[in-house]
Amino acid sequence: MTGNSKNKMSALIVDDDKVVRRVHGKLLTQLGFETNAVENGQEAVDLFTSGECYDFVFMDMEMPIMDGTEATQKLREMGVKSTIVGVTSCNVEAKKQAFMEAGLYACLEKPLTRDAISSLLEQVTKK
Amino acid sequence: MEVNQMQRSFLEYANVLFREGFLDGQFSQLQMLADESNPDFVVEVVSLFFEDSQKLLNDLTTTLDQQNVNFKKIDAHIHQLKGSSSSIGAQRVKNACIAFRNFCDQQNVEGLSFGSSITFAFLFQLEQQIVAAGGAIPILSEFS
């Protein structure tokens, strides 16, 4: 984990919806993350390109400009090693499969819950 | 004594909102996010949701009124509204979105107009109910 000087894990929320960014941001902050948020996949890629780094990326699937699948693919091509977690309410299996194959660690149901994040952290710290 | 009575009546009112399907367990999750640093978190997020949703539905109506309807754009609007309503536990609004998104696949303009009117109505209903409850509903752990 890269973390920062306060030893908090860092998380980037990538979602085109303001309400979702606010709710997920608050949830992750309460769970001890340092958070940042952007509106689409392109902005996420730009952040990493500029040298910023995050332990976790919570990536929405369907976004304008650049969707989650394309953004995940691009980040992995760039060599980004962050734990990228897909977050979606989509129930089309083919789309979710493509999303996973783009390089996700896991895909979680939207909206994120405390329990889902706790299980995720447990799994990630085991590896 | 007064505070307890208030809490009781808010609890009864909240029970109605949950029982009638206006809100689901996600709303309880939202309430747990209010803390010392953000005591008005629920009010803030719910207000943001209503502002954004109304704008989304207005945009959707405008798009539907065009001669050549852009169904991809409409689908994106409905998807976004579904996401934000589920994030605050606005169950009826979320379910309405799931239901009328089908009209998009069918490119059914009449169905979409009907669907967006119903969703607007549910949104307005929810807004009224929350305002009537004073915007402060105690956490119901049995619904979380």
Side-chain angles (χ1 to χ4, degrees):
Chain A
M1 301 278 178
T2 53
N4 59 28
S5 61
K6 293 178 200 163
N7 278 328
K8 276 191 177 188
M9 284 183 298
S10 56
L12 177 66
I13 296 156
V14 190
D15 200 297
D16 57 332
D17 189 80
K18 221 184 288 181
V19 175
V20 172
R21 287 197 300 272
R22 189 73 185 96
V23 173
H24 286 176
K26 184 65 184 174
L27 174 65
L28 290 167
T29 303
Q30 263 193 4
L31 291 172
F33 288 84
E34 285 260 346
T35 65
N36 192 6
V38 290
E39 294 183 23
N40 58 61
Q42 184 63 63
E43 291 187 15
V45 168
D46 291 346
L47 272 184
F48 278 90
T49 307
S50 73
E52 284 198 33
C53 197
Y54 296 88
D55 298 308
F56 286 83
V57 179
F58 290 93
M59 184 81 79
D60 183 20
M61 191 166 85
E62 294 176 68
M63 294 176 285
I65 304 175
M66 186 187 290
D67 68 19
T69 307
E70 192 184 343
T72 304
Q73 227 158 11
K74 284 216 150 86
L75 289 174
R76 292 307 188 203
E77 282 165 12
M78 283 163 59
V80 167
K81 299 277 183 270
S82 310
T83 305
I84 305 177
V85 179
V87 183
T88 183
S89 54
C90 176
N91 51 14
V92 178
E93 279 311 309
K95 281 189 179 177
K96 278 164 80 170
Q97 184 64 25
F99 198 14
M100 279 298 297
E101 285 169 7
L104 295 181
Y105 174 80
C107 197
L108 298 179
E109 194 75 26
K110 191 189 254 196
L112 293 173
T113 61
R114 265 167 226 281
D115 287 348
I117 306 284
S118 304
S119 305
L120 173 74
L121 287 175
E122 236 176 284
Q123 275 176 52
V124 169
T125 47
K126 269 188 194 159
K127 70 170 183 184
Chain B
M1 182 69 106
E2 247 181 44
V3 170
N4 282 341
Q5 275 175 343
M6 265 169 62
Q7 287 282 334
R8 247 198 314 273
S9 62
F10 279 141
L11 256 170
E12 278 161 19
Y13 201 89
N15 269 323
V16 171
L17 289 182
F18 281 97
R19 202 167 50 234
E20 294 295 314
F22 282 100
L23 298 172
D24 61 27
Q26 177 62 20
F27 190 77
S28 303
Q29 295 282 323
L30 197 73
Q31 289 174 297
M32 287 193 261
L33 295 179
D35 55 23
E36 272 170 17
S37 62
N38 288 121
D40 298 325
F41 182 74
V42 175
V43 171
E44 180 206 321
V45 170
V46 169
S47 304
L48 185 63
F49 168 70
F50 285 131
E51 267 173 45
D52 265 14
S53 307
Q54 274 162 6
K55 188 178 178 299
L56 263 171
L57 282 167
N58 284 332
D59 287 348
L60 201 147
T61 310
T62 306
T63 309
L64 273 173
D65 285 342
Q66 306 296 313
Q67 200 145 20
N68 295 316
V69 177
N70 186 339
F71 290 101
K72 206 174 172 189
K73 204 172 176 185
I74 291 180
D75 189 65
H77 284 326
I78 301 172
H79 178 76
Q80 197 176 337
L81 182 56
K82 179 187 142 195
S84 60
S85 58
S86 74
S87 74
I88 71 148
Q91 187 176 244
R92 274 197 187 173
V93 177
K94 177 191 85 178
N95 288 341
C97 290
I98 291 171
F100 92 94
R101 202 177 181 184
N102 289 327
F103 290 130
C104 222
D105 297 333
Q106 297 160 14
Q107 301 204 347
N108 181 341
V109 175
E110 263 176 30
L112 285 167
S113 293
F114 174 70
S116 70
S117 304
I118 297 282
T119 309
F120 241 132
F122 283 159
L123 198 65
F124 184 65
Q125 254 182 347
L126 179 63
E127 200 168 3
Q128 296 242 289
Q129 298 288 355
I130 289 185
V131 164
I137 304 171
I139 295 172
L140 298 181
S141 55
E142 61 263 37
F143 289 103
S144 58

